[in-house]
Amino acid sequence: MPADHRFSSVLNAAQRGWKNRASDEALLSLALPLNGIDPLGALPTLDPTSAFRVLMDSAPGLCLSASGCCQQLELAGPRRFELTQRFADLTLSRLQDMAPQAPAQARPRVLLRFHFFDQVGEHHRSSDQTPAVEAVLPRWQLSRQGGQGWLRLNGSVSHEAEARILAEQLWLQHQALEQAVLQPRIGQANAPQLLGSPDHESWQERYASALERGLELVDSGELHKLVLAVRQSMDLDAPYDPLPLLQRLRRQQADSCRFLWQRSSGDAFFGASPERLLSLRGGWLRSDALAGTAGQGDDGQQLLRSDKDRREHELVVETITEQLQRHGLQPHRRSQPQLARHGHLTHLHTPITAAMGNTPVLTLAEQLHPTPAVAGLPRREAMAWLRTLEPFDRGSYAAPIGWIDSSGDAELRVAIRCGHARGCQLDLTAGAGLVRGSEAERERQEVGLKLAVLADQLNLTSGSRQGPQSPLHR
């Protein structure tokens, strides 16, 4: 198809969308196929004028990058899931998709990032100012799956001339990416250096008293399970760029979903999650129960024989199943867990599936979050103890992150194995589940393992010695 005719098609679509508007303003979505471009590699150049960037990378499955904000919602409070669902439904229903022939991977999406708690506690407020939920219809969206890629541009248009401008912007960006001889390169020629050493001893000191109290709570039967987390902070001599790490994790943790949520140039939340809170595809729901951990050198057979790990895992499976049944679904699960390896760690894993009814997907997400794998049981009491025993705000650690698309399909991951870079500070968070019979030393070792297994992948060095740099693990 001649280039001028292709541009004419994009322009005609934009003008048609403007004419079919339902009000004085039109919300248009234009898209073009764009094969051969890696969304992760292209993210830095997708919209250089915007500091807001998102990546959800399940390659070799769907890889999605986005930049800039077209429509946005930020709020807090106990109705955040309900109001976010309303925002997504309203935004996507108003959006005129002028490329309806695009495949499922190229559909317009509202991107979602939740805070672990519905609002930040008073005594933690200074540590993390992120809202309880952020929902964004991005301006630019680049997706690829199965070798097929699509570039999409969303924009508000209040005049016919703006419809033409929108078409021109999409066309010019498409040409720039299509004609690039080399992929945009991700690199950090001089990775940041650690200023001093990571606070290995101090996190253990902070964890000790919380761990002692947590074990008392589960051994007494007041709680069935409690997942206590610790935070390790590092000061760097320069801001940390997570994109090289996420690119390396494609090889090292191919079965995880790499993610990035960058609110601004100095605020990046990133990681590689092995755990699916829920996914919805074509009317079928899937959730993952992931609990029980073995380290490098363990083939998982001891994990399968561990009474403590099997009990901890079954608590998660039973809770997810019961919560789905509460909404009228009929979940299916395997009778026995299987082993799932992610990087150097092996977990007990049970996928749970169900035919989806008419329940809004974020209503189910609210019911499932947080799972016992990241909080505890009973949930309300465990959440209250987490606020009391953890001396930091979790932020988005262990919270849902993902998207809803224009057909109602969705993907929400549990944001574990993650880091949060703010300026020259890098925070890493990890945790372990306590149940009756848990031993303090074993739990300390599990947290230490999760804070050490990806040490080399952060690519940090210290002026005094080669880092044991800390990883991104729950």
Side-chain angles (χ1 to χ4, degrees):
M1 183 182 295
D4 59 344
H5 181 64
R6 288 185 65 190
F7 174 69
S8 296
S9 298
V10 176
L11 178 59
N12 289 339
Q15 292 173 334
R16 188 168 63 253
W18 167 251
K19 291 175 182 177
N20 293 336
R21 68 192 185 281
S23 63
D24 291 339
E25 184 177 74
L27 188 58
L28 302 184
S29 186
L30 308 175
L32 285 170
L34 180 62
N35 296 326
I37 303 297
D38 179 10
L40 191 159
L43 182 55
T45 57
L46 193 56
D47 184 0
T49 65
S50 175
F52 176 78
R53 296 175 180 173
V54 171
L55 175 75
M56 296 293 295
D57 177 28
S58 298
L62 174 67
C63 180
L64 170 74
S65 64
S67 186
C69 295
C70 179
Q71 303 281 302
Q72 184 175 13
L73 172 74
E74 294 185 357
L75 52 80
R79 297 179 61 205
R80 59 181 176 150
F81 283 89
E82 173 193 347
L83 295 176
T84 302
Q85 181 77 61
R86 188 180 302 175
F87 168 81
D89 290 345
L90 178 61
T91 300
L92 293 171
S93 66
R94 286 182 56 225
L95 188 69
Q96 296 188 61
D97 183 1
M98 305 313 298
Q101 78 283 3
Q105 72 230 36
R107 291 172 186 154
R109 286 170 166 79
V110 169
L111 311 173
L112 305 170
R113 174 198 182 185
F114 288 85
H115 194 283
F116 185 82
F117 295 102
D118 57 16
Q119 51 194 350
V120 179
E122 289 292 334
H123 62 298
H124 294 317
R125 189 151 293 177
S126 62
S127 64
D128 195 328
Q129 294 296 325
T130 57
V133 62
E134 298 168 84
V136 176
L137 175 69
R139 182 162 175 77
W140 291 97
Q141 177 183 300
L142 179 59
S143 56
R144 186 179 71 174
Q145 186 171 11
Q148 290 186 318
W150 281 77
L151 178 67
R152 181 174 291 277
L153 175 60
N154 303 312
S156 296
V157 174
S158 56
H159 191 276
E160 186 174 4
E162 292 180 347
R164 181 182 182 91
I165 292 172
L166 198 70
E168 290 174 347
Q169 289 174 333
L170 175 65
W171 182 250
L172 291 173
Q173 177 71 295
H174 183 275
Q175 281 192 313
L177 290 172
E178 192 175 50
Q179 295 173 5
V181 176
L182 297 174
Q183 290 280 359
R185 295 194 175 198
I186 294 175
Q188 203 170 10
N190 298 307
Q193 287 194 344
L194 284 166
L195 298 178
S197 300
D199 56 345
H200 293 297
E201 294 182 1
S202 57
W203 78 253
Q204 294 191 41
E205 292 171 0
R206 293 191 299 269
Y207 186 49
S209 60
L211 176 59
E212 181 180 1
R213 182 67 179 118
L215 290 172
E216 291 174 358
L217 290 168
V218 295
D219 287 339
S220 69
E222 184 171 343
L223 297 176
H224 298 306
K225 182 178 181 180
L226 183 66
V227 183
L228 281 174
V230 299
R231 175 156 295 168
Q232 186 175 39
S233 297
M234 289 175 279
D235 294 320
L236 310 178
D237 66 351
Y240 185 78
D241 177 8
L243 289 181
L245 169 65
L246 296 176
Q247 198 169 52
R248 293 194 300 273
L249 290 180
R250 276 185 170 175
R251 301 185 302 273
Q252 297 161 353
Q253 294 195 33
D255 292 333
S256 296
C257 177
R258 282 73 58 192
F259 63 85
L260 167 70
W261 191 285
Q262 181 176 300
R263 299 188 77 215
S264 65
S265 58
D267 188 327
F269 179 66
F270 59 94
S273 172
E275 186 171 350
R276 180 184 288 103
L277 182 69
L278 63 82
S279 65
L280 179 60
R281 300 283 192 285
W284 280 93
L285 182 81
R286 172 174 165 170
S287 183
D288 287 342
L290 199 75
T293 303
Q296 190 173 11
D298 188 334
D299 63 3
Q301 295 307 308
Q302 185 173 347
L303 195 61
L304 288 170
R305 293 191 296 267
S306 167
D307 178 66
K308 181 262 184 187
D309 288 295
R310 292 291 293 266
R311 283 188 293 108
E312 180 184 350
H313 182 79
E314 191 61 26
L315 281 175
V316 178
V317 175
E318 289 178 353
T319 301
I320 293 175
T321 301
E322 290 169 2
Q323 289 165 340
L324 295 178
Q325 289 172 336
R326 217 172 273 141
H327 283 276
L329 276 63
Q330 298 180 343
H332 302 277
R333 53 157 293 186
R334 293 173 176 265
S335 59
Q336 299 292 328
Q338 55 198 62
L339 295 173
R341 178 167 291 279
H342 296 277
H344 295 303
L345 298 184
T346 301
H347 305 282
L348 295 177
H349 174 221
T350 298
I352 301 166
T353 59
M356 186 68 167
N358 296 321
T359 305
V361 67
L362 290 187
T363 299
L364 289 177
E366 181 177 23
Q367 189 71 27
L368 293 174
H369 170 73
T371 72
V374 294
L377 285 173
R379 180 162 67 180
R380 181 175 297 180
E381 289 81 355
M383 296 277 277
W385 277 110
L386 292 180
R387 282 195 178 276
T388 300
L389 296 176
E390 293 178 351
F392 57 89
D393 186 78
R394 285 195 171 198
S396 290
Y397 165 71
I401 187 169
W403 49 262
I404 297 177
D405 74 15
S406 56
S407 72
D409 285 356
E411 177 82 16
L412 289 174
R413 289 280 174 161
V414 181
I416 53 175
R417 305 191 181 182
C418 56
H420 196 165
R422 282 168 287 195
C424 293
Q425 179 175 314
L426 179 59
D427 293 331
L428 307 169
T429 310
L434 310 179
V435 295
R436 182 177 293 180
S438 293
E439 300 174 357
E441 182 57 32
R442 180 179 173 183
E443 301 308 322
R444 274 192 294 269
Q445 290 175 356
E446 182 173 334
V447 172
L449 172 66
K450 291 172 177 177
L451 283 173
V453 70
L454 291 180
D456 57 336
Q457 293 174 332
L458 280 181
N459 199 30
L460 300 176
T461 59
S462 172
S464 58
R465 59 188 176 89
Q466 191 74 19
Q469 301 76 15
S470 302
L472 316 174
H473 276 277
R474 180 175 69 208

